[in-house]
Amino acid sequence: MKNLLLVLLFLLAVPVARAGVWIEPYLGYLVHSDEYMGTRSTALDTSYEHSYKTPLLGARLGYGMLGFSMGVDYSQSLGAFEWKQDKPVDNSGVKEEYTNTNLGIYAGYKFPVMFRVWGTYFLKNKLEFDSSTATAASDDSTEITGKGFALGAGFTGLPFVALNLEYRSITYDEIKQRDGTKITLPYSMGGSVVMNEIEAKDIVLSVSVPFDI
């Protein structure tokens, strides 16, 4: 919340005499993959990989001027999705569902030739466990949070809408467990690293409706 207030105060401090309000809702599809190194009682220095896919709804809101725009970017998955462990495959039959939320600040530029680019710095990325899917074999984590960045490009040659492709790189470095315990990654125990930071790579394909008013 403090980060969001700072962002809003910064935006209000920008001269608005020649600026317009930029509003850009978007609907997309996110493909996620991540990996990290960890240890377990039966395996040391094991590489773990996860993946998920989910529809994403979001919006960019800020100021636009002379082709430039900057402001706040917020997105959230449409409903819960299953977070699948791909490597090693040791959780078959276990259903763990999460929702994804992302909050960041962005800056972009729209070229006169039907093309635009932008970059986003994420203040908070969160995976929140859906407790209704909990089982005895489920993981103890209820929230996984981190920060990251995104680079995007869009085609603006169509009437009203833009077609966009975005790459997101997220580092998750905090886990909140069901008992309220927070674990900061990398997590060490007994002098050895039990779990490293989770490095995630996301691809987002989206359709947006940008308004510069």
Side-chain angles (χ1 to χ4, degrees), residues 8 24-25 32 42-43 49-50 75 80 91 100 111 125 127 132 134-135 139 146 159 164 166 171 180 187 194 201 204:
L8 294 176
E24 185 184 0
H32 165 101
T42 56
E49 297 179 3
H50 299 84
S75 60
N91 68 340
N100 172 284
F111 295 93
N125 303 78
L127 292 171
S132 66
T135 67
D139 195 273
N164 309 302
E166 185 178 51
T171 300
Y187 174 63
V194 176
K201 311 299 180 185
V204 182

Short mmCIF file of all heavy atoms in Angstrom, two decimals, residues 8 24-25 32 42-43 49-50 75 80 91 100 111 125 127 132 134-135 139 146 159 164 166 171 180 187 194 201 204:
data_model
loop_
_atom_site.label_atom_id
_atom_site.label_comp_id
_atom_site.label_asym_id
_atom_site.label_seq_id
_atom_site.Cartn_x
_atom_site.Cartn_y
_atom_site.Cartn_z
N LEU A 8 1.32 7.04 -6.77
CA LEU A 8 0.26 8.00 -7.06
C LEU A 8 0.71 9.42 -6.79
O LEU A 8 0.41 10.35 -7.57
CB LEU A 8 -0.98 7.68 -6.22
CG LEU A 8 -1.67 6.36 -6.56
CD1 LEU A 8 -2.83 6.09 -5.60
CD2 LEU A 8 -2.19 6.38 -8.00
N GLU A 24 -5.93 2.10 -20.18
CA GLU A 24 -5.75 0.96 -21.10
C GLU A 24 -6.12 -0.36 -20.41
O GLU A 24 -5.26 -1.03 -19.83
CB GLU A 24 -4.30 0.89 -21.60
CG GLU A 24 -4.10 -0.19 -22.65
CD GLU A 24 -2.65 -0.32 -23.07
OE1 GLU A 24 -1.80 0.44 -22.56
OE2 GLU A 24 -2.38 -1.18 -23.93
N PRO A 25 -7.36 -0.76 -20.47
CA PRO A 25 -7.72 -2.10 -19.97
C PRO A 25 -7.22 -3.16 -20.95
O PRO A 25 -7.16 -2.93 -22.16
CB PRO A 25 -9.25 -2.05 -19.93
CG PRO A 25 -9.63 -1.02 -20.94
CD PRO A 25 -8.53 0.00 -20.96
N HIS A 32 3.25 -19.34 -17.67
CA HIS A 32 4.25 -19.17 -16.61
C HIS A 32 5.11 -20.42 -16.47
O HIS A 32 4.62 -21.54 -16.58
CB HIS A 32 3.52 -18.89 -15.29
CG HIS A 32 4.39 -19.05 -14.07
ND1 HIS A 32 4.93 -17.97 -13.41
CD2 HIS A 32 4.79 -20.14 -13.37
CE1 HIS A 32 5.62 -18.39 -12.37
NE2 HIS A 32 5.55 -19.72 -12.33
N THR A 42 15.36 -36.68 0.77
CA THR A 42 15.69 -37.78 -0.15
C THR A 42 16.50 -37.33 -1.36
O THR A 42 16.89 -38.15 -2.17
CB THR A 42 14.40 -38.46 -0.65
OG1 THR A 42 13.57 -37.47 -1.27
CG2 THR A 42 13.65 -39.09 0.51
N ALA A 43 16.72 -36.02 -1.48
CA ALA A 43 17.46 -35.54 -2.66
C ALA A 43 18.17 -34.23 -2.32
O ALA A 43 17.58 -33.35 -1.70
CB ALA A 43 16.52 -35.33 -3.84
N GLU A 49 10.91 -27.50 -11.11
CA GLU A 49 10.30 -26.67 -12.15
C GLU A 49 8.78 -26.75 -12.04
O GLU A 49 8.22 -27.83 -11.81
CB GLU A 49 10.75 -27.12 -13.53
CG GLU A 49 12.25 -26.97 -13.76
CD GLU A 49 12.68 -27.43 -15.14
OE1 GLU A 49 11.79 -27.82 -15.94
OE2 GLU A 49 13.89 -27.42 -15.42
N HIS A 50 8.13 -25.59 -12.19
CA HIS A 50 6.67 -25.52 -12.15
C HIS A 50 6.17 -24.75 -13.37
O HIS A 50 6.93 -24.03 -14.02
CB HIS A 50 6.18 -24.82 -10.88
CG HIS A 50 6.57 -25.50 -9.62
ND1 HIS A 50 7.79 -25.31 -9.02
CD2 HIS A 50 5.89 -26.37 -8.84
CE1 HIS A 50 7.85 -26.03 -7.91
NE2 HIS A 50 6.72 -26.69 -7.77
N SER A 75 -2.69 -6.19 -12.68
CA SER A 75 -3.33 -7.32 -13.36
C SER A 75 -3.59 -8.44 -12.36
O SER A 75 -2.90 -8.56 -11.34
CB SER A 75 -2.48 -7.84 -14.52
OG SER A 75 -1.21 -8.27 -14.06
N ALA A 80 -8.94 -19.12 -10.00
CA ALA A 80 -7.80 -19.92 -9.55
C ALA A 80 -7.32 -20.84 -10.68
O ALA A 80 -8.07 -21.21 -11.56
CB ALA A 80 -8.18 -20.74 -8.32
N ASN A 91 4.31 -34.91 -7.42
CA ASN A 91 3.07 -34.45 -6.78
C ASN A 91 1.84 -34.81 -7.60
O ASN A 91 0.85 -34.10 -7.60
CB ASN A 91 3.13 -32.93 -6.55
CG ASN A 91 3.10 -32.14 -7.87
OD1 ASN A 91 3.41 -32.69 -8.92
ND2 ASN A 91 2.73 -30.89 -7.79
N ASN A 100 -3.13 -15.15 -9.13
CA ASN A 100 -1.95 -14.34 -9.40
C ASN A 100 -2.34 -12.87 -9.47
O ASN A 100 -3.29 -12.50 -10.17
CB ASN A 100 -1.33 -14.79 -10.73
CG ASN A 100 -0.23 -13.89 -11.21
OD1 ASN A 100 -0.48 -12.80 -11.71
ND2 ASN A 100 1.00 -14.35 -11.08
N PHE A 111 4.89 4.76 -31.21
CA PHE A 111 5.47 5.31 -32.44
C PHE A 111 4.36 5.70 -33.42
O PHE A 111 3.24 5.15 -33.37
CB PHE A 111 6.39 4.29 -33.09
CG PHE A 111 7.60 3.95 -32.27
CD1 PHE A 111 7.58 2.87 -31.41
CD2 PHE A 111 8.75 4.71 -32.37
CE1 PHE A 111 8.68 2.55 -30.64
CE2 PHE A 111 9.87 4.40 -31.61
CZ PHE A 111 9.83 3.32 -30.74
N ASN A 125 4.53 -8.94 -6.90
CA ASN A 125 3.89 -10.05 -7.60
C ASN A 125 3.52 -11.09 -6.55
O ASN A 125 4.34 -11.43 -5.70
CB ASN A 125 4.82 -10.68 -8.63
CG ASN A 125 5.31 -9.67 -9.64
OD1 ASN A 125 6.21 -8.89 -9.35
ND2 ASN A 125 4.75 -9.69 -10.84
N LEU A 127 1.45 -14.87 -5.62
CA LEU A 127 0.69 -16.10 -5.85
C LEU A 127 0.03 -16.44 -4.52
O LEU A 127 0.70 -16.64 -3.51
CB LEU A 127 1.60 -17.23 -6.29
CG LEU A 127 2.24 -17.10 -7.67
CD1 LEU A 127 3.29 -18.18 -7.86
CD2 LEU A 127 1.19 -17.19 -8.75
N SER A 132 -9.49 -23.69 -0.49
CA SER A 132 -10.55 -24.67 -0.76
C SER A 132 -10.02 -25.91 -1.45
O SER A 132 -10.70 -26.94 -1.49
CB SER A 132 -11.66 -24.03 -1.61
OG SER A 132 -11.17 -23.71 -2.90
N ALA A 134 -7.09 -27.31 -0.57
CA ALA A 134 -6.07 -27.88 0.30
C ALA A 134 -6.32 -29.36 0.56
O ALA A 134 -7.45 -29.80 0.75
CB ALA A 134 -6.04 -27.13 1.63
N THR A 135 -5.23 -30.12 0.56
CA THR A 135 -5.29 -31.54 0.92
C THR A 135 -4.16 -31.82 1.90
O THR A 135 -3.29 -30.99 2.12
CB THR A 135 -5.12 -32.44 -0.32
OG1 THR A 135 -3.79 -32.28 -0.82
CG2 THR A 135 -6.13 -32.09 -1.39
N ASP A 139 1.16 -28.32 -0.26
CA ASP A 139 2.26 -27.53 0.26
C ASP A 139 1.78 -26.64 1.40
O ASP A 139 0.60 -26.31 1.48
CB ASP A 139 2.84 -26.67 -0.87
CG ASP A 139 4.18 -26.11 -0.51
OD1 ASP A 139 4.21 -25.04 0.11
OD2 ASP A 139 5.19 -26.76 -0.84
N GLY A 146 7.05 -11.61 -4.65
CA GLY A 146 8.33 -11.19 -5.19
C GLY A 146 8.20 -9.93 -6.00
O GLY A 146 7.16 -9.24 -5.98
N PRO A 159 -8.28 -0.82 -35.67
CA PRO A 159 -9.17 0.19 -35.07
C PRO A 159 -9.42 -0.13 -33.59
O PRO A 159 -9.80 -1.24 -33.25
CB PRO A 159 -10.46 0.06 -35.90
CG PRO A 159 -10.06 -0.61 -37.17
CD PRO A 159 -8.92 -1.52 -36.81
N ASN A 164 -0.76 -7.24 -28.21
CA ASN A 164 0.44 -7.06 -27.41
C ASN A 164 1.12 -8.38 -27.07
O ASN A 164 0.46 -9.41 -26.89
CB ASN A 164 0.08 -6.35 -26.09
CG ASN A 164 -0.73 -5.09 -26.32
OD1 ASN A 164 -0.30 -4.19 -27.01
ND2 ASN A 164 -1.92 -5.05 -25.73
N GLU A 166 4.17 -9.56 -24.22
CA GLU A 166 4.95 -9.06 -23.08
C GLU A 166 5.74 -10.20 -22.44
O GLU A 166 5.23 -11.31 -22.27
CB GLU A 166 4.01 -8.44 -22.05
CG GLU A 166 4.71 -7.78 -20.87
CD GLU A 166 3.73 -7.13 -19.91
OE1 GLU A 166 2.76 -7.82 -19.50
OE2 GLU A 166 3.91 -5.95 -19.57
N THR A 171 11.21 -12.56 -9.67
CA THR A 171 11.95 -13.30 -8.65
C THR A 171 11.12 -13.34 -7.38
O THR A 171 10.88 -12.31 -6.74
CB THR A 171 13.31 -12.64 -8.35
OG1 THR A 171 14.09 -12.61 -9.55
CG2 THR A 171 14.06 -13.41 -7.28
N GLY A 180 1.31 -18.67 9.48
CA GLY A 180 1.69 -17.27 9.57
C GLY A 180 3.19 -17.03 9.47
O GLY A 180 3.63 -15.88 9.37
N TYR A 187 16.59 -19.67 1.66
CA TYR A 187 16.38 -20.13 3.03
C TYR A 187 17.41 -21.19 3.37
O TYR A 187 17.58 -22.17 2.66
CB TYR A 187 14.97 -20.69 3.17
CG TYR A 187 14.68 -21.33 4.51
CD1 TYR A 187 14.71 -20.58 5.68
CD2 TYR A 187 14.37 -22.68 4.59
CE1 TYR A 187 14.45 -21.16 6.90
CE2 TYR A 187 14.10 -23.28 5.82
CZ TYR A 187 14.14 -22.51 6.97
OH TYR A 187 13.88 -23.08 8.18
N VAL A 194 18.28 -24.69 1.87
CA VAL A 194 17.15 -25.60 1.68
C VAL A 194 16.37 -25.24 0.43
O VAL A 194 15.88 -26.10 -0.28
CB VAL A 194 16.24 -25.58 2.93
CG1 VAL A 194 15.01 -26.45 2.72
CG2 VAL A 194 17.02 -26.03 4.15
N LYS A 201 9.57 -16.99 -15.32
CA LYS A 201 9.50 -16.35 -16.64
C LYS A 201 8.07 -16.46 -17.14
O LYS A 201 7.53 -17.56 -17.23
CB LYS A 201 10.46 -17.02 -17.63
CG LYS A 201 11.88 -17.20 -17.10
CD LYS A 201 12.55 -15.89 -16.77
CE LYS A 201 13.96 -16.12 -16.23
NZ LYS A 201 14.58 -14.85 -15.78
N VAL A 204 2.99 -13.06 -21.81
CA VAL A 204 1.60 -12.61 -21.81
C VAL A 204 1.22 -12.16 -23.22
O VAL A 204 1.85 -11.26 -23.78
CB VAL A 204 1.36 -11.45 -20.83
CG1 VAL A 204 -0.11 -11.04 -20.84
CG2 VAL A 204 1.80 -11.84 -19.42
#
